[in-house]
Amino acid sequence: MDKPLDRRRTAMELIENMFNVEMRFLQSGSESLDVLAGAFHTEIVVHEPRSLPYAGDWNGLDGVGALFRKMREIWSDVAVEDLQVAQNDDTVFMSCSLSLTSRANGATIKQPFAEVLCFKDDRLIEGRPFYYDTSEILAILR
């Protein structure tokens, strides 16, 4: 008897879904967390660097929604280019070129960015972003 196929999403499918949901939330101005549930686990935690204006651990869908609202206040545009991914079980390693535009003054920076992402049931449960130069990010916000 054949075993049922264990269809796990590929790293790129997981990341594309996560970014699509995140961008839809950021661009829509929505306050509804229902959109986030399509890519983010209810027990999610995102660990942002202490040096950024949205520092700290953001827990649960409420926390991720608050993080994205804070980012929406700071950035008028966020874009990802040259996305590359690798996967080991439920952990995805991604790198890209990140472009950020300050809402306050229109200044834009572009720099390398990486993130270690852990998934559970095809939804992000933990994210650890690594920004190339947080000093440069802070400088354009002044």
Side-chain angles (χ1 to χ4, degrees):
M1 189 163 164
D2 292 332
K3 286 185 177 182
L5 180 62
D6 178 17
R7 172 65 174 110
R8 298 174 93 182
R9 285 183 162 179
T10 67
M12 191 58 83
E13 289 171 330
L14 290 166
I15 297 298
E16 285 176 346
N17 181 54
M18 182 192 75
F19 278 138
N20 286 339
V21 167
E22 181 177 346
M23 292 305 157
R24 196 167 50 228
F25 185 85
L26 286 171
Q27 293 169 354
S28 71
S30 173
E31 298 301 315
S32 172
L33 301 178
D34 294 340
V35 170
L36 297 177
F40 297 90
H41 196 278
T42 57
E43 298 172 19
I44 176 111
V45 60
V46 176
H47 310 279
E48 289 288 347
R50 285 181 271 176
S51 58
L52 293 180
Y54 36 88
D57 292 342
W58 300 83
N59 297 287
L61 292 177
D62 287 335
V64 168
L67 168 63
F68 292 160
R69 284 190 291 277
K70 183 72 173 172
M71 292 175 79
R72 186 170 47 208
E73 290 172 12
I74 295 168
W75 307 117
S76 63
D77 189 40
V78 176
V80 171
E81 295 175 352
D82 304 321
L83 182 63
Q84 296 183 28
V85 296
Q87 185 172 14
N88 183 10
D89 293 325
D90 289 329
T91 302
V92 174
F93 306 90
M94 61 136 303
S95 67
C96 66
S97 178
L98 181 64
S99 178
L100 301 168
T101 302
S102 168
R103 185 171 299 284
N105 60 28
T108 298
I109 61 166
K110 189 174 186 177
Q111 60 178 239
F113 175 80
E115 195 161 8
V116 178
L117 304 159
C118 298
F119 289 84
K120 181 177 180 182
D121 302 325
D122 289 342
R123 289 181 174 81
L124 183 66
I125 193 161
E126 184 176 27
R128 289 192 182 275
F130 296 91
Y131 298 83
Y132 182 73
D133 186 346
T134 57
S135 294
E136 182 185 34
I137 291 171
L138 293 173
I140 73 159
L141 295 177
R142 292 188 185 114

